[in-house]
Amino acid sequence: MKPDTEGPLSLCELCLAQVCLSLDTLCTRRPDHSLCLSIPTVFPQEIADQLLHLMSKKGILNDSTAGIFRDCKQFRLRRATIRSCTISTDAFRLALCPHRLQELDASWVSGGLTGADIISGLVSNLECRKSLQRLSLNGLCLDWSTLKNERGCIGFSSLQGVRTLCLANTDLNDEVLEDICALPQLEMLDISCCAVSTLTPLLQCKNSLKSLIAHRLRQLDMSSSRLLSVLTQLQCVRHLDFSDDHLSEDSDGSSTDEMVRQLLEGSPQVLPSLVSLDISGRKRISETAVRAFVEARSGVVFLGLMATSVSSCDALEKCKNLKVTGEANESQVCEALRRYRDRECFIREALVHLYNLTTDIDKPRPDLLKLVLSVMQSHPSSLHVQLVATACVFHLTTQSLCEAMPLPLLSCTVTQLLLAMDTFPSNTQVQKNCLLALCSDFILQEVPFDKYVAVSLVITWLSSHEDPTLQRMAVAVISIIISKMSSEETAQLSKDVSIMKLLTVVQQKAMVGVVDSTLKFALSALWNLTDEMPSAARNFLDCLGLELYEEVLETFCTEPSVQQKVLGLLNNLAEVEDLQSDLMDEDLLEHVLSLLQDGQLDVGVRYFAGGVLAHLASRPKAWTLDEELRTTTISQLHSSIMTWSHLEREMVSYRSFQPFYPLLQTSQPSGVQLWAVWAIHLVCSQNTAHYCSMLELEGVTELLKALAAHSETHHDVKEMIDSILSLVERRLSED
């Protein structure tokens, strides 16, 4: 997980990522639509392996893109990975089989490719028969009968160089196992979750086999004595995994459990080379047996005891160099999360214990967070894993803890939370866990992640749930994210009418007259969403938002924080020329005018009321109401603004000064001009560096100078402009 969580990508990784993004432009297409690299470049062997691995990891490796690897001169593959990709038999034969492979991981591939196809393809390359040392076909249909009946006398044993063979979760049977055990150099074999009934064939490779992984062999039909007899003859075995799925009840496994007991309590002369034993999930193991084993075998460095109820055995504490998986302490739980990444039964167990261990955690633990993320990535479709993992993430990323975490790690964390939300949209607890973790000011404001995806997921969930607690968190998350979105991201989101679900939240609160954080967050989100976004403003109007906001102004007439947010959004509408006609409502404008004139109100409320009126009054040809109302509005704008005191607190921010251009024209009434220059002076005095630079870049400084120089410009406007220009000059001199 290093590239995702610990630091920046290397130059090589960045270049390969760019190649992946640019395949269509770097390649031409063959008649069969497969890609062919058009540049005659020879990739170093390791780089070729890395490119294939990255394409596989990104999910872009398929019959078409795999075509670039047909050229064995440009790409000399040695360690090939097509794990979980969709590859056909023909594409596999053409792209991978010509290479002198040393390793191949084709686990969980789809597209009709079978184990038989892979074996026959590899065997067709005489060099591969000797060079291939590691082969992983986990999760595939081997289709052994086809290989045997239609393709001559070939099989696994034809790959004479294979040392490591992984066939977990396949249709491996006794006959195939016989063929496998004829491999002369076989050192490591994984036959977990397969349908073998006997392990007697292992005696063929007893002089080479060093590692046997036999997790959950539920169809094994051997007496405990016969099973132990076979194991006794595997003198070279150093690692033995006879763990079981403790959550499954399709077999009692009594004979295997008895064999394990005999192994634990028996002589060290049985499996004398053993340094690692995994018996996790074996429910009938006793502390007595475990104690006898560790006391008799000082050379053992690992013991798997997850879900056995004996991992707290006191004898284990005395073995300082012994690593143990179990639930007795944090060390055992973390070891389980590291070792059992692909075994859901143990991951679920370990996560539950980790959740309990982190309930009252008070120190940053990025190491634990990395472990949780790794298992979330390994089991994206497991509800049980995601449910507990997201709860653990919340424990590990509370406000004080996450601030000490590396940002890349937190970025990866948010990505996994969003994936969990997307995968389980109807599970309330998963959604709650994710919202709890996301509802952090530090994460939402400082951590980089796909904000558009995040808002889309949360708003989708909000559309079908009304739990008050979750609603408050969801609306808070949406509001904060929208405030941090770029103009491009906001524009994309503004086209989605579903975001107007926030209006329903506002309506619910208005109906009961409640002012709380949920209402304020919803109003802020809509305000930010419509800022210089005409499409969002139009959606707002189409969803009857204006009528609702008129009611809100009336309902919360004594709540300045609510009034500011409502009037702030109406400002955004008033800035859009095409929408100004929708605001020509006499009752609405007279109410806004009364707010402007009320000297008892907060200056912030009067400021936003003035903004709505200034924009609407700036276009006399678009004014469709009584002309006397416009004249009064312009007059009251000027007189009211002159009574406003300067605000120290930041009240508003602007993406640009573009909406002010029409208001700063020399032809505008002084009240309209005065509101615009007062607003500019406000933000420039509060955030001088940012807004003074914006004035220069957008040419507003020249516009202000022209207005100040005009003979008919009111002296109040000129004075305010002079103050703004002084701020700009002072800032420029400091630079």
Side-chain angles (χ1 to χ4, degrees), residues 296-340:
R297 298 189 183 239
S298 58
V300 172
V301 297
F302 170 71
L303 185 57
L305 296 175
M306 195 74 200
T308 61
S309 301
V310 296
S311 61
S312 57
C313 176
D314 55 2
L316 299 174
E317 298 177 4
K318 302 174 184 177
C319 306
K320 302 302 181 183
N321 297 322
L322 179 65
K323 291 185 177 180
V324 179
T325 57
E327 53 275 339
N329 52 50
E330 181 188 301
S331 177
Q332 291 184 4
V333 171
C334 290
E335 192 66 29
L337 290 172
R338 280 189 288 268
R339 288 183 180 262
Y340 300 136

Side-chain angles (χ1 to χ4, degrees), residues 1-46:
M1 292 179 64
K2 181 181 182 297
D4 294 328
T5 62
E6 289 187 1
L9 297 174
S10 68
L11 179 59
C12 178
E13 290 167 329
L14 289 170
C15 291
L16 290 178
Q18 188 60 44
V19 171
C20 289
L21 290 172
S22 310
L23 280 177
D24 283 337
T25 57
L26 295 174
C27 299
T28 57
R29 289 191 179 272
R30 300 184 181 92
D32 64 357
H33 302 295
S34 64
L35 296 183
C36 176
L37 197 64
S38 54
I39 305 171
T41 302
V42 177
F43 281 66
Q45 182 266 308
E46 290 186 2

Side-chain angles (χ1 to χ4, degrees), residues 103-308:
E103 299 179 8
L104 172 64
D105 185 354
S107 299
W108 308 102
V109 296
S110 56
L113 187 63
T114 67
D117 295 327
I118 291 173
I119 296 301
S120 62
L122 295 173
V123 169
S124 67
N125 182 339
L126 296 180
E127 288 188 324
C128 243
R129 293 191 180 200
K130 296 179 180 179
S131 65
L132 191 69
Q133 299 178 27
R134 184 184 183 92
L135 178 62
S136 297
L137 304 179
N138 297 328
L140 293 193
C141 171
L142 298 181
D143 197 19
W144 177 259
S145 59
T146 302
L147 184 65
K148 179 182 177 183
N149 296 331
E150 298 180 7
R151 306 182 187 182
C153 298
I154 60 173
F156 287 97
S157 57
S158 300
L159 300 169
Q160 294 286 291
V162 169
R163 297 174 181 271
T164 297
L165 183 58
C166 300
L167 299 171
N169 294 283
T170 66
D171 53 337
L172 175 71
N173 56 33
D174 296 343
E175 184 181 4
V176 185
L177 185 59
E178 285 277 359
D179 177 67
I180 289 170
C181 292
L183 287 166
Q185 301 183 68
L186 186 63
E187 296 179 353
M188 183 275 181
L189 178 63
D190 185 352
I191 54 173
S192 300
C193 303
C194 293
V196 296
S197 64
T198 177
L199 298 185
T200 303
L202 295 176
L203 297 178
Q204 294 183 68
C205 54
K206 63 182 181 181
N207 294 324
S208 62
L209 193 64
K210 296 179 181 179
S211 177
L212 174 63
I213 303 176
H215 168 72
R216 196 188 174 200
L217 295 185
R218 285 306 174 92
Q219 295 190 42
L220 196 60
D221 186 19
M222 299 177 72
S223 66
S224 59
S225 58
R226 178 56 184 158
L227 190 53
L228 189 61
S229 174
V230 171
L231 294 179
T232 300
Q233 298 179 63
L234 303 180
Q235 298 286 301
C236 297
V237 167
R238 296 172 56 81
H239 172 66
L240 176 63
D241 183 344
F242 246 99
S243 58
D244 194 20
D245 183 350
H246 65 294
L247 298 175
S248 178
E249 298 181 357
D250 55 358
S251 172
D252 62 9
S254 56
S255 63
T256 309
D257 284 348
E258 176 58 23
M259 181 279 297
V260 171
R261 185 194 66 78
Q262 293 178 25
L263 175 62
L264 291 174
E265 297 180 350
S267 167
Q269 298 308 310
V270 177
L271 297 175
S273 303
L274 197 66
V275 296
S276 169
L277 176 64
D278 199 333
I279 51 174
S280 291
R282 296 289 170 188
K283 302 174 183 178
R284 297 180 177 87
I285 305 305
S286 67
E287 288 193 15
T288 301
V290 170
R291 185 178 294 106
F293 181 79
V294 297
E295 289 177 352
R297 298 189 183 239
S298 58
V300 172
V301 297
F302 170 71
L303 185 57
L305 296 175
M306 195 74 200
T308 61

Side-chain angles (χ1 to χ4, degrees), residues 35 240 250 346 355-356 468 574 583 589 620 633 648 672 717 731:
L35 296 183
L240 176 63
D250 55 358
F346 299 145
Y355 174 81
N356 294 328
L583 297 177
L589 296 193
T633 296
E648 296 297 331
V672 171
V717 176
R731 177 63 190 175

